[in-house]
Amino acid sequence: MKLLITGGAGFVGSSLAIALKKNYPDYTIYCLDNLKRRGSELNISRLKQAGVEFVHGDIRSKEDFDALPAVDTVIEASAEPSVLAGLDGTPDYLINTNLFGTVNCLNYALKHKAAFIFLSTSRIYPIKTLETLNFKEGETRFELIDEQPVPGVSTKGIAENFPLDGARSLYGTTKLASELIIQEYNEFYGLKTVINRCGVITGPWQMGKIDQGVMVLWIAKHYFEQQLAYIGYGGTGKQTRDMLHVDDLYRLIDWQLHNLDTVNGEILNAGGGVECSASLQELTKICQDVTGKTIPIRQVTENRAADIRLYITDNTKVTALTGWKPEKTMQDIVSDIHVWLDENRAALEPILK
């Protein structure tokens, strides 16, 4: 099998590529990346060592696709992933990458009759609707309840039939627009596709920032003994997310790659679920336990733009269809990232500290 992974030097793309090559050494895997995100350059040597072919290119450029050989499947893992991207200025890079870049990927797949696996995001769900859901406030976290004003939400989390009307951030909008175009290519061009609406993905080799990759950021700040802040929702740190270890995501993509007819045309939520979720307050406690360090955490009561109080993925559909469910716990995730920081401190300190 021959595969192209876009965003292939990014956290998710490189993790998938290296795991696939390890498990299927006879596969030819190309990783395309423009190396815009700081730290992605560290993955080039990792890819080469694994036997993956790195191609320096940009999905915004049709010409960069013309130079690529034919493949059997495209895994579209490229994105400008920041929820805040475009809010403080021009959204051109965001739109050209996340929307028009996806169109270039689709046309390349169509040209070679390749299957198409798309990594979308839970951020396609509208902010205001999420923010007006019924919840209860526990001692350490906010929690969803079953009685809700809209469909697609329960104590299990957010399901695929959650309403899509409303604003969701420019990032979420470009990903949703890509989803709609992918469905057209599936229906009218016969392209085999599957869309995965991923929750918060995390794990070793993610270069965490405040607006994307908060899990790694949180652990790194503890590791390097710096300061953090609970921002918004009264500054209590009760806002809650589920976390998906990139190893668990790999298991899903691996299954889809080899059973594409079963998931062809599907849209699937995929995240850590209730079982692998934590509030910032709870995450802080796990970080203290794993790192053995306690750091100062400021309280900022004002909410940040495009933030949400609570998001948990309901994996019911994807589990029923594929048998997949996450295996890594929150403790596993923090421990794995802590070991990675320890083993690569010299390279990571200038980026994450």
Side-chain angles (χ1 to χ4, degrees), residues 118-138:
F118 185 63
L119 297 188
S120 189
T121 172
S122 60
R123 280 292 186 167
I124 61 96
Y125 297 115
I127 292 169
K128 282 183 183 173
T129 316
L130 289 169
E131 282 292 83
T132 52
L133 294 178
N134 295 328
F135 68 95
K136 63 181 181 181
E137 185 172 347

Side-chain angles (χ1 to χ4, degrees), residues 251-271:
R251 291 190 304 104
L252 176 62
I253 300 302
D254 182 15
W255 193 95
Q256 291 177 349
L257 191 60
H258 299 97
N259 299 273
L260 208 71
D261 286 340
T262 306
V263 290
N264 183 27
E266 295 288 352
I267 297 174
L268 304 170
N269 282 1

Side-chain angles (χ1 to χ4, degrees), residues 9-27:
F11 157 57
V12 173
S14 62
S15 299
L16 295 177
I18 291 166
L20 281 164
K21 189 66 178 174
K22 180 183 175 185
N23 289 316
Y24 305 99
D26 57 332
Y27 285 13

